């Protein structure tokens, strides 16, 4: 069975998509980031809670503050990427629920009054949104380099408040020379899918 999505788009978003390790110096504009967000904001989250927050690191000073918290193997690519995004879960997302869930505004207090519940919901749903964001970057013709090799506590102290939790750091731009590592194997359908 074939998919409805054009095979070229399938390749762009999935089959040919890779984590970029080098980038050209072509800038990533605010307009491109806005277009990415305007596409991916429609991805579903539970209760439409939309807890992802994005911190764009553009300035030289901001980049220097960030790079000192990156693992050694991630420092050079984070230093040279045209744009770096911190993808963050907002643990106070429930404050927006009356606007985001207008038919059931009481969900804010009925389901999310306790902080541990919000933290769990924010982590799961912001992670979904982070995946949508990476696919959106690819849809914009850019490469994404998502990373988890960093000192999370250091980055959170440097850039965030206590209500936000870092999920990942994503380098964004046009892929540079030798941007890709060799493609690694994937599990087969039979190794992943079980029918009961």
């Amino acid at each position: 069975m074939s998919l409805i999505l054009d095979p070229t788009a399938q390749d762009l978003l999935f089959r040919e998509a890779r984590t970029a390790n080098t980038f050209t110096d072509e800038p990533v504009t605010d307009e491109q980031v806005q277009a990415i967000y305007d596409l991916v904001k429609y991805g579903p989250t539970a209760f439409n809670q939309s807890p992802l927050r994005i911190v764009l690191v553009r300035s030289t000073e901001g980049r220097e503050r960030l790079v000192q918290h990156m693992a050694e193997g991630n420092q050079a690519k984070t230093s040279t990427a045209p744009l770096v995004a911190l993808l963050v879960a907002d643990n106070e997302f429930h404050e927006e629920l009356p606007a985001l869930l207008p038919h059931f505004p009481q969900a804010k207090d009925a389901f999310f009054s306790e902080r541990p519940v919000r933290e769990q919901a924010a982590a799961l749903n912001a992670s979904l949104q982070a995946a949508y964001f990476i696919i959106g970057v690819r849809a914009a013709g850019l490469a994404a380099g998502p990373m988890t090799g960093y000192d999370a506590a250091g980055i959170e102290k440097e850039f965030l408040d206590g209500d936000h939790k870092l999920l990942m750091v994503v380098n964004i731009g046009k892929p540079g020379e030798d941007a890709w590592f060799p493609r690694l194997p994937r599990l087969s359908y039979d190794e992943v899918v079980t029918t009961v």
Side-chain angles (χ1 to χ4, degrees), residues 42-109:
Y42 295 107
T45 57
F47 291 91
N48 197 35
Q49 61 189 247
S50 306
L52 181 70
R53 303 296 179 261
I54 303 167
V55 178
L56 299 178
V57 182
R58 286 196 183 278
S59 70
T60 302
E61 179 265 337
R63 190 71 60 102
E64 289 170 356
R65 289 169 45 212
L66 175 61
V67 168
Q68 69 180 336
H69 299 290
M70 300 302 294
E72 185 177 339
N74 291 333
Q75 289 179 350
K77 54 189 163 186
T78 301
S79 294
T80 58
L83 180 63
V84 182
L86 307 180
L87 302 187
V88 175
D90 181 359
N91 291 315
E92 295 298 309
F93 68 87
H94 69 306
E95 296 296 340
E96 305 294 335
L97 282 181
L100 294 172
L101 201 63
H103 64 281
F104 187 31
Q106 58 271 41
K108 172 185 179 230
D109 298 315

Side-chain angles (χ1 to χ4, degrees), residues 29-190:
T29 67
D30 289 335
E31 292 77 17
Q32 287 172 299
V33 177
Q34 176 80 50
I36 292 165
Y37 178 72
D38 286 343
L39 174 65
V40 303
K41 69 184 178 184
Y42 295 107
T45 57
F47 291 91
N48 197 35
Q49 61 189 247
S50 306
L52 181 70
R53 303 296 179 261
I54 303 167
V55 178
L56 299 178
V57 182
R58 286 196 183 278
S59 70
T60 302
E61 179 265 337
R63 190 71 60 102
E64 289 170 356
R65 289 169 45 212
L66 175 61
V67 168
Q68 69 180 336
H69 299 290
M70 300 302 294
E72 185 177 339
N74 291 333
Q75 289 179 350
K77 54 189 163 186
T78 301
S79 294
T80 58
L83 180 63
V84 182
L86 307 180
L87 302 187
V88 175
D90 181 359
N91 291 315
E92 295 298 309
F93 68 87
H94 69 306
E95 296 296 340
E96 305 294 335
L97 282 181
L100 294 172
L101 201 63
H103 64 281
F104 187 31
Q106 58 271 41
K108 172 185 179 230
D109 298 315
F111 294 102
F112 300 108
S113 62
E114 296 180 19
R115 177 72 180 228
V117 172
R118 289 196 309 274
E119 288 176 353
Q120 184 177 15
L124 172 63
N125 288 280
S127 294
L128 285 172
Q129 289 185 283
Y132 303 146
F133 181 80
I134 292 167
I135 293 171
V137 168
R138 295 171 180 170
L142 299 169
M147 299 171 292
T148 57
Y150 48 71
D151 170 13
I155 293 174
E156 288 170 358
K157 183 177 179 184
E158 194 78 38
F159 292 95
L160 307 174
D161 62 30
D163 290 330
H164 295 83
K165 181 78 175 161
L166 182 65
L167 298 173
M168 68 184 71
V169 176
V170 182
N171 295 327
I172 303 169
K174 292 282 188 183
E177 189 173 333
D178 297 321
W180 318 118
F181 294 148
R183 172 71 79 191
L184 295 173
R186 298 297 193 264
L187 295 174
S188 71
Y189 177 88
D190 293 335

